[in-house]
Amino acid sequence: MSEAREWLIQWLRDAHAMEEQAETILAGQLSRLEHYPDLSKRIREHLEETKAQASRLKACLDRIGEGTSTLKDTGGKLMAFAQSASGVFAADEVMKGSLASYTFEHMEIASYTILIAAAEAVGEKDVVQVCEQNLREEIAMADWLKTHLGPTTTKFLNRAEADSDSAKR
Ligand code: MG
Ligand code: FE
């Protein structure tokens, strides 16, 4: 197998682990958010997209013939737990979560941009298409988050003024 193909497979595995991590982070945020319904709704939608992204990547890996690395996926989930837990006790949890989510989406955008170039380099057209679809969803989520950072901040500050505890999440 060519070097380029081996790297493509490795990066697909990494992306799969990243999506499992995303799933854990989003599910954690969703379970704790109470007073930000727009944010909850968008996170719920992206959680469903994220599950589909992971299974599309898994299908690519199965087809290319390598399967996914259980060890890596477990590592991703554990890391996600640590990251997800880190904002839980913050008095501005919704703001810390917004920061982390916007950052995470951009890591995903970079990952799929790299994967698309790698898949094109070895002529894996199906992989290119899967990664382009995932990339579009990450860009849409990043744009939504960017648009809502200001309004979420305003809402957080207004709620904090009235009742600091309910502003948190
Ligand atoms: Mg994703
Ligand atoms: Fe995402």
Side-chain angles (χ1 to χ4, degrees):
M1 192 184 297
S2 74
E3 276 284 315
R5 211 174 160 75
E6 280 180 33
W7 281 116
L8 173 64
I9 289 165
Q10 178 61 50
W11 294 339
L12 280 170
R13 277 201 205 111
D14 292 344
H16 186 262
M18 173 181 75
E19 293 303 348
E20 299 242 294
Q21 187 178 357
E23 195 180 321
T24 307
I25 292 169
L26 292 168
Q29 289 179 341
L30 194 56
S31 72
R32 291 190 307 276
L33 274 175
E34 289 173 31
H35 301 291
Y36 298 82
D38 293 354
L39 191 55
S40 291
K41 182 169 177 284
R42 189 63 179 94
I43 288 174
R44 189 173 294 112
E45 286 168 7
H46 197 55
L47 177 57
E48 290 313 308
E49 287 174 342
T50 299
K51 289 176 184 169
Q53 291 170 353
S55 66
R56 283 196 289 270
L57 291 171
K58 174 102 170 47
C60 287
L61 280 161
D62 288 345
R63 190 176 55 74
I64 292 179
E66 294 284 322
T68 48
S69 158
T70 311
L71 192 66
K72 263 194 175 306
D73 290 353
T74 308
K77 273 179 184 162
L78 290 176
M79 217 156 64
F81 176 75
Q83 284 184 8
S84 171
S86 66
V88 173
F89 300 110
D92 60 347
E93 182 181 343
V94 66
M95 299 310 307
K96 291 288 183 287
S98 296
L99 267 170
S101 296
Y102 189 65
T103 305
F104 198 95
E105 293 309 326
H106 284 82
M107 182 173 71
E108 295 185 294
I109 287 168
S111 300
Y112 288 120
T113 304
I114 289 166
L115 271 169
I116 288 164
E120 275 170 352
V122 300
E124 281 288 349
K125 292 202 173 65
D126 291 352
V127 177
V128 171
Q129 278 187 358
V130 161
C131 293
E132 281 175 346
Q133 183 179 353
N134 289 7
L135 177 62
R136 280 194 296 274
E137 292 170 353
E138 311 306 10
I139 290 171
M141 183 60 173
D143 286 350
W144 190 96
L145 287 167
K146 180 163 191 195
T147 306
H148 288 77
L149 281 172
T152 301
T153 307
T154 309
K155 187 171 178 181
F156 169 80
L157 292 173
N158 287 338
R159 292 194 75 94
E161 209 63 57
D163 171 10
S164 66
D165 220 48
S166 84
K168 205 192 284 189
R169 53 176 182 254

